[in-house]
Amino acid sequence: SATLRGRPCRSHSLGRSEDITMAARRQQQMRRGQMPEPGLADDPATRTVADFLRNEKTSGLRTKEAVQYEKRVEYFKGSKLIDALVGPKYTGKVSQTTPIKSRADAAKVGQTLLSQGYFHRSQRVTHAHSRRWELELVSGPFEDDGVYTWVYEGSKTKLYMLTGAMLLAALGVCMIQIWPLWMKIGVWWCSVTFLTTFGVLCIVRLMLFILMWILGFRGIWLFPNLFDDNQTFAGSFMPIFGKGDPIIIYEDSDEEYNEYLRKKSKKKDSKDGKGGESSDSKKVIRKKASEADEDAPKWQFGLINIFIIFGVGGLWCLQMGFFDGENVPDFVAKRDDLQYYFKGLAAPEPVNATGGGDGRDPFAAPDEEEKRRF
């Protein structure tokens, strides 16, 4: 028994070696850019749960982006997955096929998803002499404090529909020559309005930034999120003035950044000599303001700003004469076709200068009185 106590069990060693082999195989696939598909031991109920969790709006399971083996992936924490499965949003068909009554049941579902390859466990690896970190694949069971990377991409029906719509839109753009004339003119007007308004907005934005810099307000921009790739089209136009997205408090943050803030707060408290509760109990992370409160209708203010800006830009283009028919290029519509919508483009009717003093047309047929003379 002493000998057995000092050595691991044979079955345990075989299981661990299989896990390491599977992790190494997935690691090689990810290095080649091939994402591994879910395992063969798949069932519809588990896939339904995976589809539910993959939809952030439906489940509330938020993911973050990171780099793993030179590939950008999405990861989450095990506690967040359990919260999503026991939360109020877990209803409908998915709750009937896979009922979950406690956090222990949710952990079992997480272990099933992990074993079938819907996601794999990872850990953060910090670069030497740098605060940058990446994710590395590791083997292990499902735990609350573990970090897991999504392998399953979710239902691709919406992706296929969007791809087909993009192909049809590209085909329609290539067939611009057979468009109706009113559609060509409308697209041209919209293009002129957008490009002119956006160009003037960028110039005014740069001039105001330089003026604010001279006055001492460093980093103040007009529409600071205008060129932010993480924002939506409406979110790019709010706020009107500012320094961009602020730093807000959020409970799920990076350990490295929290440790940096704890050390910084301890040094500040030691210098000030103040006691009491420090602010290191809060976790701070750089996060977009648009993700702070999804329930608040902030997008409405962005749409209002869009309507106001491009409405004023359209009126200015109309006042400058950009919408006149003579400014429409030939590749949009021919001049003869434009005369149907723009009467001012038509050539004026020629004036008859051959008439006599009585104003009668010399080429007109003779009336009854002239016939009786002859």
Side-chain angles (χ1 to χ4, degrees):
S1 60
T3 306
L4 293 176
R5 195 176 301 169
R7 292 183 299 175
C9 180
R10 180 179 179 84
S11 61
H12 180 72
S13 300
L14 291 175
R16 185 172 181 83
S17 63
E18 291 178 357
D19 293 340
I20 295 175
T21 304
M22 185 179 297
R25 190 183 304 115
R26 291 180 181 175
Q27 182 174 351
Q28 292 176 359
Q29 290 177 346
M30 293 191 67
R31 285 180 176 176
R32 295 195 216 107
Q34 302 173 354
M35 296 296 292
E37 293 294 330
L40 297 177
D42 186 21
D43 59 318
T46 306
R47 185 171 291 271
T48 304
V49 177
D51 291 334
F52 167 77
L53 294 172
R54 208 64 181 91
N55 192 344
E56 295 187 8
K57 294 183 179 179
T58 305
S59 63
L61 177 61
R62 294 181 177 179
T63 59
K64 295 182 180 181
E65 292 186 354
V67 177
Q68 187 172 22
Y69 304 124
E70 300 180 358
K71 187 177 183 66
R72 186 162 294 276
V73 296
E74 296 180 351
Y75 73 96
F76 60 91
K77 285 190 175 181
S79 58
K80 298 300 179 181
L81 184 141
I82 295 178
D83 294 339
L85 293 178
V86 299
K89 295 184 178 181
Y90 189 76
T91 57
K93 181 181 178 180
V94 62
S95 62
Q96 296 176 1
T97 55
T98 308
I100 297 176
K101 299 181 180 180
S102 62
R103 297 183 68 87
D105 295 340
K108 292 180 181 179
V109 173
Q111 179 62 38
T112 303
L113 294 170
L114 177 63
S115 61
Q116 293 186 7
Y118 285 93
F119 52 79
H120 57 76
R121 187 164 182 174
S122 304
Q123 67 178 0
R124 293 186 177 94
V125 178
T126 307
H127 292 276
H129 308 288
S130 176
R131 292 186 57 209
R132 296 180 56 190
W133 55 270
E134 293 184 357
L135 291 178
E136 184 181 25
L137 190 147
V138 294
S139 61
F142 182 83
E143 297 177 352
D144 295 357
D145 56 350
V147 178
Y148 302 91
T149 303
W150 273 114
V151 176
Y152 180 56
E153 296 180 356
S155 179
K156 298 182 179 180
T157 304
K158 185 178 180 181
L159 178 62
Y160 293 153
M161 294 177 62
L162 292 176
T163 304
M166 291 179 62
L167 292 176
L168 292 177
L171 182 61
V173 172
C174 295
M175 301 171 62
I176 188 174
Q177 294 298 331
I178 63 174
W179 286 9
L181 185 59
W182 60 269
M183 187 181 294
K184 294 181 182 179
I185 298 175
V187 171
W188 171 253
W189 285 354
C190 293
S191 302
V192 170
T193 303
F194 177 79
L195 294 177
T196 305
T197 306
F198 193 77
V200 173
L201 179 62
C202 293
I203 295 174
V204 173
R205 184 171 179 265
L206 180 60
M207 293 175 62
L208 289 178
F209 174 78
I210 296 175
L211 180 61
M212 291 293 181
W213 185 277
I214 295 174
L215 296 178
F217 300 97
R218 305 295 175 86
I220 302 297
W221 285 94
L222 175 66
F223 299 116
N225 299 325
L226 187 61
F227 296 101
D228 191 355
D229 295 335
N230 297 322
Q231 295 287 344
T232 60
F233 184 71
S236 300
F237 291 88
M238 62 180 187
I240 299 177
F241 274 97
K243 291 186 177 181
D245 293 323
I247 299 175
I248 63 173
I249 296 175
Y250 185 57
E251 59 180 358
D252 187 13
S253 61
D254 298 331
E255 284 78 6
E256 292 86 0
Y257 189 67
N258 290 330
E259 187 66 24
Y260 168 75
L261 290 178
R262 292 191 191 100
K263 293 180 180 179
K264 187 176 180 180
S265 62
K266 287 181 180 180
K267 291 181 180 179
K268 184 177 180 181
D269 294 338
S270 61
K271 290 181 180 180
D272 297 340
K274 296 180 180 179
E277 184 180 0
S278 61
S279 60
D280 59 352
S281 60
K282 297 182 180 179
K283 296 182 179 181
V284 183
I285 184 175
R286 303 182 187 272
K287 189 183 177 186
K288 301 297 180 184
S290 58
E291 300 178 358
D293 190 3
E294 295 182 352
D295 298 332
K298 295 181 179 180
W299 56 272
Q300 296 180 359
F301 299 99
L303 291 178
I304 292 174
N305 294 336
I306 292 173
F307 289 142
I308 293 176
I309 292 172
F310 288 99
V312 173
L315 294 176
W316 183 74
C317 292
L318 180 62
Q319 186 68 24
M320 295 296 294
F322 293 161
F323 295 161
D324 294 343
E326 58 185 8
N327 292 326
V328 179
D330 293 337
F331 68 87
V332 176
K334 301 297 183 182
R335 188 176 182 87
D336 296 339
D337 297 334
L338 293 174
Q339 293 178 5
Y340 179 79
Y341 287 96
F342 302 96
K343 302 300 182 182
L345 295 180
E349 297 181 359
V351 181
N352 187 8
T354 60
D358 54 356
R360 295 171 58 185
D361 189 359
F363 300 100
D367 51 8
E368 296 295 335
E369 296 180 357
E370 292 181 352
K371 290 181 179 179
R372 291 176 183 176
R373 293 179 183 177
F374 300 101

